[in-house]
Amino acid sequence: MANPTADLAAELRAALSGHARFDPGTRALYSTDASNYRQVPTGVVFPRDEDDVAATVAIARRHGVPVTTRGAGTSIAGNAIGTGLVLDFARHLDRVLDVDPDRRLARVQPGVVLDSLRSAVAGHGLTFGPDPSTHSRCTLGGMIGNNSCGTHSVAWGKTVDNVHSLDVLLSDGTRLEVGATSPEELDALCAREDRVGQLHRDLRALRDDVGDLVRRSFPRLARRVSGYNLDQLLPEHGFHLARALVGTEGSCAVVLGATVELVPSPAARALTVLGFSDTYAAADEVPRLRGLGALAIEGLSAELVDVVRLRNPASPALPLLPGGRSWLLVETGGADLGEAQAAADAIVRAMGERAEHVVHTDPARIAALWKIREEGSGYSTRMAGSERWSGWEDAAVPPEQLGAYLREFDALLARFGRRGVTYGHYGDGCIHVRIDFDLLTRPGTAEYRSFLEAAADLVVAHGGSISGEHGDGQARSALLSRMYPPEVVRAFERFKTAFDPDGLLNPGQVVHPRPVDADVRPLVAPARIPTRTTLALHADSGDLAAATRRCVGMGKCLNTTGGVMCPSYRVTREEKHSTRGRAHLLFEMLASRVIEGGWRSPEVREALDLCLSCKGCKSDCPVDVDMATYKAEFLHQHYRHRPRPAAHYSMGFLPLWLQLGKHAPGLVNRVFSGPLAPVLKRLGGIDARRSVPPLAPQTLQAWWSARTPRTGTTARVVLFPDTFTNHFDPHIGRDAVTALEALGHAVEVPRSPVCCGLTWHSTGQLGTARRVVRRTARLLRPQLDRGMPVVGLEPSCTAFLRHDALELAPDDLDVAALAAATRTFAEWVEPTRERWQRPAQDRQALVQVHCHQHADLGFTADRATLDATGTRARVLDAGCCGLAGNFGFERGHHEVSVACAEKGLLPAVRAAEPGTDVVADGFSCRTQLRQTAGVEPVHLATLVARALTED
Ligand SMILES: Cc1cc2nc3c(=O)[nH]c(=O)nc-3n(C[C@H](O)[C@H](O)[C@H](O)COP(=O)(O)OP(=O)(O)OC[C@H]3O[C@@H](n4cnc5c(N)ncnc54)[C@H](O)[C@@H]3O)c2cc1C
Ligand code: SF4
Ligand code: SF4
């Protein structure tokens, strides 16, 4: 019997220069966006050019398979999912084609990321006005699809206000350029005999039939995003077909290219932060603030700030807020700082005594405050111990109604017994909230539906729009009949039919909707295999299903610059190599519908294979997805009672091999640099291009044992001889001893082998890892009982002792005591720095922060200690070094490992002035630098020792 999907796949593969995938892993990856919904596609196409798009649509049409267009997939309402073919524009069609600064226009492909466009035009003093919080990964195609906008909408409007013309493809293969259409042009177009003529005749007739109705029934507010933009067909809007297509969520035409309008970007900005007693008081003042020329008026609530305080007490944004329990961030701009400040002063004057205020002009401070606001939806996803969901997330009301709406909305929440924290685009009356719906049960989703209906009615009663930003998707399309009269809903259907009579494009969006409580992801795909984990997974009570639900798809892990997350995606640009992709695959693995084989799934293993266990996500993901931990658990379950990859034995057991090797380091080094090395590396699963780091002639412990310890005066401290420092870089340990003793501490280095268990953990050998860390904790118990701190030099081991060990052995009191006693070297020496700090010298340094310092340990003490050594340090924001423990050594990882380093670290090191120190506390970072840049990095302990002993 013929297999329709196989035929479809074969036809596509023959026709495309890009590729099409139909494997379960890819289908699972694209089955959701940033919404609560799940629709598993038949396949996913990655077009290389417009011809590929046209071929895909033609083939899909022949097969009667619907087509869903997709950019970054950050839609929150289920706008970018479908059961047919998904067309991913973000992979290849991602270029800015042309910038015309004089006419303030830019021509782009649909997959271009907003920040790429903004960078391309910034040099001309221009920007694209609409700016969703997802600006670092959302695409112009997606913004056009959803009619996106952001914090600056009070000044620059929505995407619809900034689109000049579109190059579009209809589902029957017709391609046309659309934009504003003069009456004469419209007549000429309508006179054509072809499909273009038919389309324009249908739309003109629609306009003539419903024009007055549209004028009467469309709510008058800036943030009306729900429904099709039929108003753009009206003469007063110039029969602007491009703008009428904005916000159609891929349901009418496929955008192949766009010409967008740019706005001058003020050279200087100021941010006035106004503090109020509560959110209602803040909302009530919004009308007073509008009309004062602000670029943005955003609301922030105390509950969100409390989450930031809990997650990151050192957040630089916290001290920048004035008093209050609710804040408005009001941005003003000008040609120079004086103008921006003057505009801010006008805001402050207008507010008088009604609010506390602080005006910020330092760009770093302003950025820190915007960061809290941008990450609000992530932070608010897990609050007060509850899972919170999107669904009712972006309704808008006229700003003068905002205070009243918020009061009634909170009453509605209370009536349903639900919790949610409101914040968002107060200046345009658009409010965000994540609510603790129960989406895991049928009664819960029924209640979800009742809530959405009641909330829709409330918004409509206030003259608002049920979506003020994210579009309708599956979450709101079925509610449109509560917002618009039936004639308008029918007009939407006529509009869709004029473009896409057979309903091929993104069916279910805006018209002919599916119910809001259908396809709810956690409900339709609950776990079918046991989800209890061997690791404690404290944050999710030992339930991997709950952990995978943390990923709400917001796509911060698709960022290509800044922070650490996610190095593998930055190199491959493959969804499966992003944190999001991995979390979604784990979710689908537990659901066992598309991904089969449970913990033995090859798809999940493949996606996790390039996870560097860098923990970048643990700190950078606003919802704390901790993929390194999930990977350790997966590998543990996946290889249970089965042979493992060679690298798990060679590098997983490294501490053990080194205990043997320490007796003959010279011999070991000769063997691993001699003719046998390639064979040994092959047997050990090590990439042939990697050299095995040479063992030091004498371990730190051996040196210590041979030395007479000095007695100190102020404290006794254990210096932890981690495997890497002990065997490879003992000079760092010796420097640490020098520094600590110079500070008057009596140091003790354990003489027996101690190890945290990290190498077994990262290769998923959890049983052994647990035994190792327990043994170490027992060995150190006497020192712990004496209240001695344990100072670690290697960030990954120190982070492991402090955090991962507790996940591994949650009930072990020795392990808990060790975790509580563990300090980084910087944390231990920094408090004394006033006694010994040196004046700034000419010595320059580049600093590579180890990923586990970034994620688990923090860098504040390190920064202060560096300063105290007199070093002029530039701390890189270069992401992961790419070596990441065993990762970069494993066969098959070399290219990705080096490419990670090339993303930031290596170029920075090459560009550094001669004589610059490169500071890298992590053995992995040092090894990567030694092997790929030929430099010899230093550890902070060495700098401190130098500062304390040099004169
Ligand atoms: C944490 C978070 C914060 C957000 N903040 C904001 C915000 O501040 N403001 C805001 O407006 N939105 C916001 N969003 C929603 C979302 O990020 C935006 O709507 C974004 O512009 C979508 O872009 P995307 O590339 O991810 O598009 P996708 O989600 O991939 O697609 C969006 C829609 O466009 C359609 N589409 C994509 N490409 C094409 C094409 N070539 N032709 C036709 N149709 C196409 C899709 O079918 C879909 O219906 C946020 C989302 C999250 C998760
Ligand atoms: S992993 Fe985190 S950052 Fe990435 S999509 Fe999921 S929630 Fe967002
Ligand atoms: S641990 Fe690192 S590589 Fe793995 S998913 Fe998280 S950020 Fe990406």
Side-chain angles (χ1 to χ4, degrees), residues 11 86 136 144 176 236 252 277 282 308 345 394 418 486 512 536 539 567 612 637 731 750 805 810 863 892 947:
E11 266 190 64
V86 169
S136 55
I144 291 164
L176 68 163
E236 55 268 37
C252 294
S277 55
V308 176
D345 292 343
D394 63 318
R418 294 283 156 214
H512 311 301
L612 292 92
Q637 306 273 4
H731 65 280
R863 204 181 281 268

Side-chain angles (χ1 to χ4, degrees), residues 529-536 540-545 599 633 637:
I529 64 171
T531 62
R532 304 308 302 175
T533 48
T534 305
L535 292 168
D540 294 293
S541 310
D543 178 11
L544 187 67
W599 291 99
E633 180 73 36
Q637 306 273 4

Side-chain angles (χ1 to χ4, degrees), residues 69 71-76 79 133-134 139 142 146 148-149 249 255 377 469:
T69 36
T74 64
S75 285
I76 310 191
N79 331 40
S133 308
T134 46
T139 65
N146 285 350
S148 304
C149 47
E249 304 182 13
V255 176
S377 69
E469 187 166 270

Side-chain angles (χ1 to χ4, degrees), residues 550-558 565 579-580 583 617 620-623 625:
R550 276 181 181 274
C551 176
V552 287
M554 68 179 63
K556 191 181 169 205
C557 48
L558 311 182
M565 171 178 75
T579 315
R580 175 174 83 172
C617 44
D620 293 358
C621 164
V623 202
V625 170

Side-chain angles (χ1 to χ4, degrees), residues 564-565 579 614-622 624-628:
V564 172
M565 171 178 75
T579 315
C614 67
K615 297 192 186 181
C617 44
K618 188 178 177 193
S619 58
D620 293 358
C621 164
D624 302 329
V625 170
D626 179 7
M627 194 53 63

Side-chain angles (χ1 to χ4, degrees), residues 184 546 636 734 756:
E184 299 73 33
H636 172 71
R734 295 197 296 270
C756 63

